[in-house]
Amino acid sequence: MNMAPEVPAILVLGPPLVFKAYESDFSQKFNFLKPWEKPIPLHQFISTHSSNVKAIFCSAVSPVTSEIIESLPELRFVLASSTGVNHIDLRECKRRGIVVANAGSTFSEDVADMAVGLLIDVLRRISAGNRLVKSGVWRREGDYPLAHKLSGKQVGIVGLGSIGLDIATRLKAMGCIISYTSRTMKPHVTFPFYPTIHQLVANCKILIISCALTEETRHMIDREVMLVLGKDGIIVNIARGAIINEKELIECLVKGEIGGAGLDVFENEPNFPQELFPLDNVVLTPHHGAVTEEACRDLYDHVCENLHAFLENKSLECEVDM
Amino acid sequence: MNMAPEVPAILVLGPPLVFKAYESDFSQKFNFLKPWEKPIPLHQFISTHSSNVKAIFCSAVSPVTSEIIESLPELRFVLASSTGVNHIDLRECKRRGIVVANAGSTFSEDVADMAVGLLIDVLRRISAGNRLVKSGVWRREGDYPLAHKLSGKQVGIVGLGSIGLDIATRLKAMGCIISYTSRTMKPHVTFPFYPTIHQLVANCKILIISCALTEETRHMIDREVMLVLGKDGIIVNIARGAIINEKELIECLVKGEIGGAGLDVFENEPNFPQELFPLDNVVLTPHHGAVTEEACRDLYDHVCENLHAFLENKSLECEVDM
């Protein structure tokens, strides 16, 4: 379907997984510009369309830089297909009055499930057991190191947004003792709050990272934090890789200074820290916390609603506070 | 420490993992007979001590057959280190008035966590993702099949004892819709009850097996049940392998007639069905549902209490209803 040139254009960067999955449905509703279909560099594509682009729809791996923002004088809206928006230059958006929205809580349940799954996997050695069995070797009781119990463990959650709260609900039902840290203490939340990561880590054995990546949280989980967590401690990260100092994490894991890790995100994706590959107490997944069929369908609805709301000057659902 | 011969002897069969872990503590409290330390066949060892054996303490992999029971005229008590007691000839014990006790709810939380961990692992492809990452390959969004959401799924639990209830609590907190079948409807339980496996499976997409292995439940989960569960259905078994017809399970999994499986137990342990090794939607662990350090310590206390209670003619904690 051809749109008239005056129909506001939405530049797609990435493209997000949901865009590929629902491309024909999307294209019947909006005037999308798809730079990956043209054999020209992105900046050239953008300059050709600059006067018509009112909005950007982007995946978490496609940076929306100040350069892109500057080259689009009509840009009024950036919609991320992810919960994290660290790939968008928020300062420049704010300066230019450009509204930014994210996926809101579309992925919360799925990402929380992934956090719980990674934690159980590390504690109970599920991936390691699976590998052992599938290698054709059966070990009798006692031939294999004992695993660790989840119930009764003290779990510290870093960042109690909608994902962190879903993680807390799940682990509370599994008998864990929950506490948290975040920028501010959450009203109506009864879990103990610690104002700093250092106070939190002194009171827990398991640390789950579910905060945004910002200038303040970059490398917040460093060697000092890990050493307090200790050699039985476990770290799970389903947020953004760079919240952890990955170099120091690798060192602590390899030396046995912390007990294990479940990581869905990495500092320099798509690069994985290969030093961790031989470790049975480390479970790595390829940034798939949000990647379910069901969440993808929900995101399609969420994106349509937000783009319609923007085009019709109505209020947005998941505007990011800048 | 040498016990006087009149001290009632407890025959250890297996030996259970907890026995190996706490052998010196145990030996200071009870007069244990350890057949594996003697270079003679078990039946010969037993006949040498037959007049003094009042109790048996056994692991799940050591059958207490009618032959063993018959050869021990003074036997009054069989204590299992496991929750399942299908390795004990209960009919013969009943006939002879021998009391049988099991591990009670010592392992419930851990086995429930294992069930949840296996389920999340299959749905969210954690072990498969871990294998992919550790093979050195990163796949971008869309290069890998989408996983499935846990929240909102209809989960049928087969057997709502203490393990089944712990599974239900956990999955309810994760947004699942729970129903169950068991020999009888449980009072004070609000989850919908279906009197037969066929009614249960018609109303769920995920089946979790947490019942005892008995003559009635052997091969209860057969091809007919699996076909109703359907090609998106998932089976998790943390109970006993033979509750599922494993040959039919393999066929359904290989043909894609059901969606996936998480199995901690197998029909002919220590043999695994090798046909399942190449399947990414199948996660196998080596009967480790109960194998945590913490549960092992709890079991030690439980076993001491029960053996003391037996020796002092006090009431037992976890007598098995026969």
Side-chain angles (χ1 to χ4, degrees):
Chain A
M1 178 176 163
N2 283 317
M3 300 273 179
E6 64 272 23
V7 175
I10 299 158
L11 174 66
V12 183
L13 295 178
L17 173 62
V18 66
F19 190 84
K20 289 187 274 184
Y22 290 90
E23 184 163 355
S24 72
D25 301 273
F26 268 132
S27 296
Q28 288 173 30
K29 296 186 175 179
F30 305 102
N31 177 21
F32 283 117
L33 300 178
K34 297 175 263 186
W36 65 91
E37 289 185 345
K38 303 288 175 189
I40 52 171
L42 180 62
H43 68 90
Q44 197 181 324
F45 181 93
I46 289 177
S47 69
T48 312
H49 295 277
S50 64
S51 62
N52 196 30
V53 173
K54 299 273 193 241
I56 288 176
F57 176 44
C58 60
S59 83
V61 294
S62 300
V64 179
T65 60
S66 61
E67 201 185 350
I68 290 179
I69 296 169
E70 275 165 24
S71 64
L72 296 169
E74 300 301 317
L75 185 66
R76 293 289 168 268
F77 182 42
V78 177
L79 176 60
S81 68
S82 55
T83 309
V85 289
N86 56 291
H87 55 299
I88 300 168
D89 189 327
L90 296 180
R91 192 181 304 211
E92 186 60 16
C93 287
K94 188 175 180 180
R95 201 184 65 78
R96 280 267 314 270
I98 295 166
V99 172
V100 177
N102 69 358
S105 61
T106 308
F107 302 122
S108 299
E109 292 171 326
D110 284 338
V111 177
D113 290 341
M114 182 60 108
V116 172
L118 283 170
L119 176 56
I120 300 179
D121 198 321
V122 174
L123 275 169
R124 304 302 309 279
R125 307 187 207 278
I126 293 181
S127 287
N130 185 48
R131 196 162 49 247
L132 182 77
V133 169
K134 291 187 174 180
S135 73
V137 183
W138 173 276
R139 306 280 175 101
R140 299 248 51 108
E141 280 186 347
D143 290 350
Y144 195 66
L146 285 169
H148 289 282
K149 198 185 185 78
L150 177 58
S151 302
K153 286 282 183 302
Q154 291 177 294
V155 177
I157 299 179
V158 183
L160 205 71
S162 109
I163 293 172
L165 266 176
D166 278 351
I167 294 170
T169 306
R170 283 155 170 71
L171 291 178
K172 196 183 164 208
M174 304 180 102
C176 295
I177 301 148
I178 311 291
S179 55
Y180 75 103
T181 187
S182 65
R183 273 171 292 194
T184 53
M185 190 171 162
K186 305 282 173 185
H188 318 300
V189 167
T190 55
F191 304 120
F193 167 73
Y194 293 102
T196 70
I197 182 70
H198 297 95
Q199 286 166 279
L200 180 72
V201 79
N203 289 284
C204 67
K205 277 288 141 210
I206 291 165
L207 208 54
I208 301 190
I209 319 298
S210 58
C211 62
L213 173 60
T214 63
E215 279 167 34
E216 289 72 38
T217 64
R218 182 176 296 274
H219 285 193
M220 178 192 216
I221 311 299
D222 57 12
R223 184 172 163 79
E224 198 187 327
V225 168
M226 293 178 220
L227 291 184
V228 176
L229 196 63
K231 67 184 182 48
D232 294 325
I234 288 171
I235 293 177
V236 171
N237 190 4
I238 44 74
R240 286 290 179 266
I243 298 165
I244 300 181
N245 183 324
E246 200 171 79
K247 193 167 160 279
E248 295 180 3
L249 174 71
I250 292 167
E251 200 184 321
C252 287
L253 282 165
V254 169
K255 287 186 179 171
E257 291 170 331
I258 64 169
L263 307 173
D264 188 46
V265 289
F266 304 90
E267 201 164 348
N268 300 305
E269 295 175 13
N271 298 312
F272 292 97
Q274 302 204 6
E275 297 90 336
L276 303 182
F277 291 2
L279 305 182
D280 261 4
N281 56 339
V282 176
V283 180
L284 310 174
T285 46
H287 202 150
H288 273 187
V291 184
T292 70
E293 241 180 72
E294 293 85 347
C296 190
R297 195 187 50 224
D298 291 346
L299 182 63
Y300 169 73
D301 293 337
H302 174 86
V303 167
C304 289
E305 280 165 31
N306 266 286
L307 290 177
H308 277 306
F310 165 71
L311 295 174
E312 294 159 15
N313 276 317
K314 291 180 182 162
S315 66
L316 297 163
E317 255 186 53
C318 296
E319 196 171 328
V320 172
D321 196 20
M322 291 190 290
Chain B
M1 179 174 161
N2 284 319
M3 301 273 179
E6 65 272 22
V7 174
I10 299 158
L11 174 66
V12 182
L13 296 178
L17 174 62
V18 67
F19 190 84
K20 290 186 275 184
Y22 289 91
E23 184 163 356
S24 72
D25 301 272
F26 268 132
S27 295
Q28 288 172 31
K29 296 186 174 177
F30 306 101
N31 177 20
F32 283 117
L33 299 178
K34 296 176 263 187
W36 65 93
E37 289 185 346
K38 304 287 176 190
I40 53 172
L42 181 62
H43 69 92
Q44 198 182 324
F45 180 93
I46 288 177
S47 69
T48 315
H49 295 277
S50 63
S51 62
N52 194 32
V53 172
K54 298 273 193 242
I56 288 176
F57 176 43
C58 60
S59 82
V61 293
S62 300
V64 179
T65 60
S66 61
E67 202 183 351
I68 290 179
I69 296 168
E70 276 164 23
S71 63
L72 296 169
E74 300 301 316
L75 185 67
R76 292 289 168 268
F77 182 41
V78 177
L79 177 59
S81 68
S82 54
T83 309
V85 289
N86 55 291
H87 55 299
I88 300 168
D89 190 325
L90 296 180
R91 193 181 304 213
E92 187 61 18
C93 287
K94 188 175 181 180
R95 201 184 65 80
R96 281 266 314 272
I98 295 165
V99 171
V100 177
N102 68 358
S105 61
T106 307
F107 301 122
S108 299
E109 291 172 326
D110 284 338
V111 176
D113 289 341
M114 183 60 109
V116 173
L118 283 170
L119 176 56
I120 300 179
D121 197 322
V122 174
L123 274 170
R124 304 301 307 279
R125 306 187 206 279
I126 293 181
S127 287
N130 186 47
R131 195 162 50 249
L132 181 77
V133 169
K134 290 186 174 180
S135 73
V137 182
W138 173 276
R139 306 281 175 104
R140 299 247 53 110
E141 280 184 348
D143 290 352
Y144 196 65
L146 284 169
H148 288 282
K149 197 184 187 79
L150 177 58
S151 303
K153 286 283 183 301
Q154 290 177 294
V155 177
I157 298 179
V158 183
L160 205 71
S162 108
I163 294 172
L165 267 176
D166 278 351
I167 294 171
T169 307
R170 283 154 170 71
L171 292 179
K172 196 184 164 205
M174 304 180 102
C176 295
I177 301 147
I178 312 291
S179 55
Y180 75 104
T181 187
S182 65
R183 274 171 292 195
T184 54
M185 190 173 161
K186 305 281 173 186
H188 317 301
V189 166
T190 55
F191 304 119
F193 167 73
Y194 293 102
T196 70
I197 181 69
H198 296 97
Q199 285 167 279
L200 181 72
V201 79
N203 288 283
C204 65
K205 276 289 141 207
I206 292 165
L207 208 54
I208 301 190
I209 319 297
S210 58
C211 62
L213 173 61
T214 63
E215 279 167 36
E216 289 72 37
T217 64
R218 183 176 297 273
H219 286 192
M220 178 193 217
I221 311 300
D222 58 11
R223 184 172 163 79
E224 198 186 328
V225 168
M226 293 178 221
L227 292 185
V228 176
L229 196 61
K231 67 184 181 50
D232 294 325
I234 288 172
I235 293 178
V236 171
N237 190 5
I238 45 72
R240 285 291 178 267
I243 298 165
I244 299 180
N245 183 324
E246 200 170 79
K247 194 167 158 278
E248 296 180 0
L249 175 70
I250 291 166
E251 201 185 317
C252 287
L253 282 166
V254 169
K255 287 185 179 171
E257 291 169 332
I258 63 168
L263 308 173
D264 188 46
V265 289
F266 304 89
E267 200 163 352
N268 301 305
E269 297 175 12
N271 297 311
F272 291 97
Q274 304 204 5
E275 298 89 335
L276 303 183
F277 291 3
L279 304 182
D280 261 4
N281 55 338
V282 176
V283 181
L284 311 174
T285 47
H287 202 150
H288 274 188
V291 185
T292 69
E293 243 180 69
E294 294 85 347
C296 190
R297 193 187 53 223
D298 291 345
L299 181 63
Y300 169 73
D301 293 337
H302 174 85
V303 168
C304 289
E305 280 166 30
N306 266 287
L307 290 177
H308 277 307
F310 166 71
L311 295 174
E312 294 159 14
N313 277 316
K314 291 181 181 162
S315 66
L316 296 163
E317 253 185 56
C318 296
E319 197 171 326
V320 172
D321 195 21
M322 290 188 291

